[in-house]
Amino acid sequence: MRAIRFEQTGGPEVLQLVEVDTPAPGPGQILVRNEAIGINFIDTYHRTGLYPVKLPSGLGGEAAGVVEAVGEGVTRFRPGDLAAYAGGVMGAYADYAVLPAARAVKPPAGIDARLAAASLLKGMTAEFLVRRCYPLRAGETVLIHAAAGGVGQILVQWAKAIGAEVIATVGSEEKADRARTLGADHVILYRDQDVAAEVKRITGGRGVPVAYDSVGKATFEGTLGSLARRGMFVSFGNASGPAPPVDPPRLARGGSLFFTRPTLFDYIVTTEELDDSAGALFGMISSGKVTVEIGQTFPLAEARRAHEALEARETIGASLLIP
């Protein structure tokens, strides 16, 4: 089978397409023939070494496809089932993947492999952010950065479905139009405008009770300055580079602020948590409250070009690799 591997950390040029043996499932495992593979910013963190992995390594953690075989003791899936996974394996950039059956989910009718691979990791991220990390309530005002990105688009729609007022930030007029289409009440061009000043203007000087920031370094100061008293800064990504260290006394001076750096994988530790998160996401999609845009697809062999486009902010919505 074909797989993307890298032997050293660095830019997209370190990614190589190689031929490897097709794995066989062991006890408790399933073999999935990938039909669509999700491309996520966390993949670039692994590739660059921001999130260290043992080298040489495969890449990618999200995909969906058909179960080809099951290992001993597996009752959760049967051959022929559609399975989707996010975080159960490192090496999803490949024709096939073996992973624990307990770390995959079965999408409901109406959600195919491409939609599942485009939505699962990003959508479960949005789910835990608005339902569990900071339980967003109707009537609250929320700041969502990178609102035209894969996670951002889902966050905007989910927040609006809850009944929140959404202030979205984007990097271009084209992406601003997309954020408005998704339901954002206010849109800020974070490269051209003072985010904190705009948020304070929109909220009558109060600020927002919560800000979801996946951009990192470039938006850190604006996010911190946008919070209301006892507001929560949810830093869940580093698209522009890691956010700087947080000085605890500064949180006190800002109004007894909270700062958290969560990851999805601490919110889907058990199979029950995984099923609940995926179920909530698929329910939102099936109801029409959340739509997932597949903005671009790339052949598996062009993973390098896909990463170049992602890091250059040239993508909108979700991106997929197609084996």
Side-chain angles (χ1 to χ4, degrees), residues 149-191:
V151 175
Q153 290 196 23
I154 299 173
L155 272 176
V156 169
Q157 296 175 83
W158 208 314
K160 290 305 299 179
I162 289 171
E165 181 177 0
V166 173
I167 303 173
T169 79
V170 295
S172 70
E173 286 290 354
E174 179 186 6
K175 292 183 176 181
D177 290 340
R178 179 58 182 161
R180 294 187 186 98
T181 299
L182 293 169
D185 300 284
H186 313 275
V187 181
I188 299 170
L189 295 172
Y190 70 83
R191 292 192 179 103

Side-chain angles (χ1 to χ4, degrees), residues 21-256:
D21 293 335
T22 302
Q29 295 181 326
I30 57 174
L31 173 67
V32 178
R33 174 172 51 82
N34 292 330
E35 294 185 342
I37 302 160
I39 304 170
N40 297 284
F41 247 103
I42 193 172
D43 303 340
T44 72
Y45 305 158
H46 291 139
R47 191 203 72 226
T48 61
L50 180 62
Y51 291 178
V53 297
K54 184 178 180 180
L55 298 176
S57 176
L59 191 63
E62 177 185 38
V66 176
V67 176
E68 292 280 296
V70 301
E72 180 184 353
V74 173
T75 58
R76 188 172 168 85
F77 291 94
R78 295 181 299 177
D81 285 344
L82 180 64
Y85 57 93
V89 63
M90 171 66 85
Y93 285 20
D95 290 320
Y96 292 87
V98 161
L99 69 151
R103 302 311 299 167
V105 298
K106 189 181 298 184
I111 296 180
D112 62 13
R114 289 198 177 200
L115 181 54
S119 64
L120 189 59
L121 188 142
K122 302 171 189 67
M124 290 195 301
T125 297
E127 178 279 320
F128 94 81
L129 289 172
V130 299
R131 291 177 72 224
R132 293 183 284 160
C133 182
Y134 179 95
L136 190 62
R137 297 183 294 272
E140 290 186 311
T141 303
V142 57
L143 175 64
I144 298 173
H145 285 292
V151 175
Q153 290 196 23
I154 299 173
L155 272 176
V156 169
Q157 296 175 83
W158 208 314
K160 290 305 299 179
I162 289 171
E165 181 177 0
V166 173
I167 303 173
T169 79
V170 295
S172 70
E173 286 290 354
E174 179 186 6
K175 292 183 176 181
D177 290 340
R178 179 58 182 161
R180 294 187 186 98
T181 299
L182 293 169
D185 300 284
H186 313 275
V187 181
I188 299 170
L189 295 172
Y190 70 83
R191 292 192 179 103
D192 305 324
Q193 297 175 278
D194 184 323
V195 172
E198 284 298 300
V199 169
K200 290 297 179 69
R201 179 187 64 79
I202 292 166
T203 60
R206 296 184 303 277
V208 294
V210 62
Y212 298 110
D213 190 337
S214 62
V215 178
K217 182 179 179 180
T219 52
F220 178 81
E221 290 296 334
T223 301
L224 200 60
S226 297
L227 294 172
R229 183 174 289 114
R230 300 193 302 275
M232 179 177 285
F233 187 143
V234 182
S235 174
F236 69 100
N238 319 278
S240 68
V246 178
D247 178 30
R250 189 175 180 190
L251 299 178
R253 293 193 299 271
S256 299

